[in-house]
């Protein structure tokens, strides 16, 4: 579900055999996007007309790489149809009612939701020390073009076109960040879910016209000590909001899902 930057690269990884699975169906609100994806593949999946159809076929897993809205609309019915689900638009899970409904559905239908580490690293270690955490902060720096179109700018006086030096454009909780920048800061949702929650995870978003990277700097402190992670991501060529690492992380999660053998890491 979602045939953009992430969906297309996942489909190509299945087509090339890197992910040992079969892509059976695709859906995107844009028919052009799904047709364009299918045209790139040797093994052609069926394009479905309705996202609910994805889980009505006997598939193992549905992959969401679309939008928070897609998660809100479709996630529960995927679990109800007894399919696993992988979610990239993790920000949707910061709505407690959605999180609780999906979490209960996983238990009830014995299914799993996979959230890849996306554009960051360190979630394994932060998860291990979660009971001892006192603070988690995330500073994300992107080129203004990678922040364009965010809901935040509908009410802010900041004009991205006029930024000439590194400028902090947002400081607040992960909860606010994910709601104001739904397509830019899903990593804040991931951090919140493994760490101290979305009201205590503090986020700074910096626009830097002189950077060609999407950089995420995470600092976690607590009774275990301190951890810092600095991830300088190259943006995807087709969608500069999205880092190459986010795509590779989605591919690795699915590769693991489709494989047996030794599993390394927490
Ligand atoms: N977890 C993480 O670390 C990361 C998560 N993401 C998130 O992953 C998602 C996919 O990213 P990416 O592939 O780069 O995005 P793209 O914009 O490149 O592709 C998304 C595609 O999904 C389509 N789409 C939007 N809403 C729906 C819907 N309700 N149902 C079906 N299709 C829909 C879009 O159509 P249209 O363009 O017409 O809206 C577009 O074709 C985004 O939500 C993004 O924010 C991205 C990077 C990192
Ligand atoms: O890909 C990235 O660098 C991060 C991103 O867009 C997100 O978390 O939504």
């Amino acid at each position: 579900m979602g045939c953009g930057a992430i969906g297309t690269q996942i489909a190509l990884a299945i087509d090339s055999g890197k992910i040992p699975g079969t892509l059976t169906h695709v859906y995107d609100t844009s028919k052009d996007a799904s047709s364009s994806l299918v045209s790139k593949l040797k093994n052609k999946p069926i394009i479905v007309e309705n996202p609910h159809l994805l889980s009505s076929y006997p598939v193992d897993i549905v992959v969401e790489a679309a939008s928070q809205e897609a998660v809100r609309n479709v996630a529960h019915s995927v679990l109800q149809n007894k399919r696993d689900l992988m979610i990239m638009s993790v920000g949707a899970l910061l709505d407690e009612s959605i999180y609780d409904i999906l979490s209960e559905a996983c238990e009830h239908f014995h299914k799993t939701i996979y959230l890849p580490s996306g554009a960051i690293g360190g979630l394994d270690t932060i998860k291990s020390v979660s009971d001892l955490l006192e603070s988690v902060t995330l500073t994300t720096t992107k080129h203004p073009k990678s922040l364009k179109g965010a809901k935040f700018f509908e009410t802010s006086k900041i004009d991205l076109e006029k930024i000439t030096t590194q400028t902090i454009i947002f400081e607040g909780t992960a909860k606010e960040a994910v709601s104001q920048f739904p397509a830019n800061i899903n990593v804040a949702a991931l951090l919140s879910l493994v760490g101290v929650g979305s009201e205590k995870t503090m986020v700074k978003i910096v626009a830097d016209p002189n950077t060609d990277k999407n950089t995420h700097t995470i600092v976690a402190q607590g009774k275990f000590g301190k951890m810092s992670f600095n991830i300088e991501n190259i943006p995807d060529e087709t969608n500069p909001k999205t880092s190459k690492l986010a795509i590779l992380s989605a591919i690795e999660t699915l590769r693991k899902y489709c494989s047996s053998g030794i599993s390394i890491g927490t």
Side-chain angles (χ1 to χ4, degrees), residues 58-69:
V59 297
D60 293 306
I61 187 164
V62 172
V63 174
E64 179 280 325
S67 61
Q68 288 190 26
E69 192 206 346

Side-chain angles (χ1 to χ4, degrees), residues 46-205:
I46 294 165
I47 298 174
V48 295
E49 301 286 329
N50 170 333
H52 295 282
L53 287 176
L54 288 173
S55 60
S56 68
Y57 294 97
V59 297
D60 293 306
I61 187 164
V62 172
V63 174
E64 179 280 325
S67 61
Q68 288 190 26
E69 192 206 346
V71 176
R72 287 190 282 270
N73 289 343
V74 180
H76 190 261
S77 73
V78 169
L79 299 167
Q80 227 169 7
N81 283 340
K82 298 207 166 81
R83 316 292 172 214
D84 290 321
L85 174 64
M86 187 173 107
I87 292 179
M88 292 307 293
S89 307
V90 187
L93 300 185
L94 290 194
D95 178 331
E96 283 90 6
S97 57
I98 292 187
Y99 184 92
D100 289 347
I101 287 170
L102 295 182
S103 173
E104 276 166 31
C106 283
E107 280 194 30
H108 187 76
F109 298 109
H110 304 291
K111 288 289 126 191
T112 302
I113 294 179
Y114 295 87
L115 307 179
S117 301
I120 52 171
L123 289 176
D124 51 350
T125 48
I126 294 175
K127 193 161 52 179
S128 300
V129 298
S130 64
D131 289 346
L132 303 179
L133 279 169
E134 279 160 358
S135 71
V136 180
T137 62
L138 167 71
T139 303
T140 290
T141 305
K142 292 188 178 188
H143 190 279
K145 72 171 185 264
S146 299
L147 295 163
K148 229 170 144 180
K151 184 174 155 199
F152 174 79
F153 299 105
E154 290 169 14
T155 49
S156 159
K157 291 202 176 86
I158 296 172
D159 182 349
L160 279 176
E161 310 278 340
K162 296 208 171 111
I163 291 181
T164 53
T165 55
Q166 224 187 45
T167 307
I168 298 171
I169 56 166
F170 172 89
E171 276 186 289
T173 64
K175 187 150 201 151
E176 291 159 350
V178 161
S179 130
Q180 294 296 313
F181 297 85
N184 303 92
I185 199 94
N186 288 283
V187 289
L190 285 164
L191 273 177
S192 303
L193 293 170
V194 296
V196 291
S198 63
E199 307 275 9
K200 289 198 190 140
T201 304
M202 300 312 292
V203 176
K204 202 185 280 184
I205 300 179

Side-chain angles (χ1 to χ4, degrees), residues 25-41:
H25 301 83
V26 293
Y27 172 77
D28 195 292
T29 40
S30 152
K31 264 206 160 167
D32 286 349
S34 17
S35 305
S36 161
L37 182 152
V38 170
S39 74
K40 297 184 173 87
L41 304 176

